[in-house]
Amino acid sequence: MKQILLLILLASGITISAIAQAKDDRVKAEIRAVMEAQAAAWNRGDIEGYMQGYWKSEQMTFVSGDSVSRGWQAAFDRYRKRYDSRAKMGVLTFSDLEMNILSKDSATVLGSWALQRESDNPKGKFTLIFRKFKNGWKIVHDHTS
C-alpha cells in the first residue's frame, strides 16, 4: 500500500520533501498562532490569557537571567507580580522568529521580544520548546533574556 501511494505521489509530481515541508509549514503556522494569541492577550492586559500558551503543569520550566522556576503557577504568579499594571506591561511584540520542527510533537522557537512602554523599551531574546498536546501546542520550556 505504501509503495502504491509513493508511486501515485511521484507520478503526480509531489515529492516526499514537499509533503514534509507542507507539514512543517502547518506546524509553524499553528505555533505562530499560539504566540500571536499570547501577544494579543498581553496587549489587552490579560496575563491569564497570555499564560494559555504555556503547558499547565508543574514540570513547565521558565528560565530568566540566573533564575529557574518550575511550574505554570509559579510563572503565572511571577508575571502577575512583575507586571501588575498596564503601564508595566506595555505593548509586547515578537520578531525574528526561527522555528525548528524537531518531531511531530516538538519544536523550538528562537526569537526576539520587545516591550514598548512610556518610560522605557526593554527587549531581549528567547528560546522556547513547544510540545503538541491534545489541546494544541504549548510551551514546556521558556528561556528568556
Side-chain angles (χ1 to χ4, degrees):
M1 185 67 174
K2 287 182 183 178
Q3 292 172 336
I4 294 170
L5 180 59
L6 180 59
L7 288 173
I8 292 170
L9 292 173
L10 291 174
S12 67
I14 299 173
T15 64
I16 300 298
S17 64
I19 294 169
Q21 184 62 50
K23 285 182 181 179
D24 282 359
D25 290 347
R26 186 187 78 241
V27 167
K28 289 177 182 180
E30 291 171 0
I31 290 171
R32 189 171 283 109
V34 170
M35 296 181 71
E36 288 171 357
Q38 283 187 295
W42 185 273
N43 293 336
R44 67 177 178 266
D46 180 6
I47 292 175
E48 190 166 350
Y50 174 80
M51 289 297 297
Q52 295 307 304
Y54 287 91
W55 182 31
K56 201 165 189 178
S57 166
E58 289 305 308
Q59 295 175 23
M60 195 277 294
T61 304
F62 189 90
V63 181
S64 180
D66 64 353
S67 174
V68 177
S69 64
R70 301 207 191 278
W72 184 93
Q73 189 65 51
F76 178 61
D77 292 344
R78 179 182 173 276
Y79 276 121
R80 278 196 320 191
K81 182 177 179 183
R82 187 167 182 185
Y83 299 98
D84 60 355
S85 70
R86 288 295 297 128
K88 288 181 183 177
M89 290 180 79
V91 175
L92 173 66
T93 56
F94 295 126
S95 62
D96 307 321
L97 300 180
E98 295 178 25
M99 297 185 187
N100 185 18
I101 311 306
L102 303 174
S103 70
K104 66 179 183 169
D105 63 357
S106 64
T108 62
V109 179
L110 172 64
S112 300
W113 64 269
L115 289 179
Q116 184 178 7
R117 302 189 292 203
E118 279 190 37
S119 60
D120 63 356
N121 296 302
K123 61 185 177 178
K125 299 288 188 184
F126 60 82
T127 302
L128 306 173
I129 300 175
F130 277 85
R131 278 187 45 206
K132 187 170 187 179
F133 296 93
K134 289 179 183 178
N135 62 343
W137 289 93
K138 301 291 181 183
I139 300 164
V140 299
H141 186 103
D142 180 337
H143 191 152
T144 296
S145 61

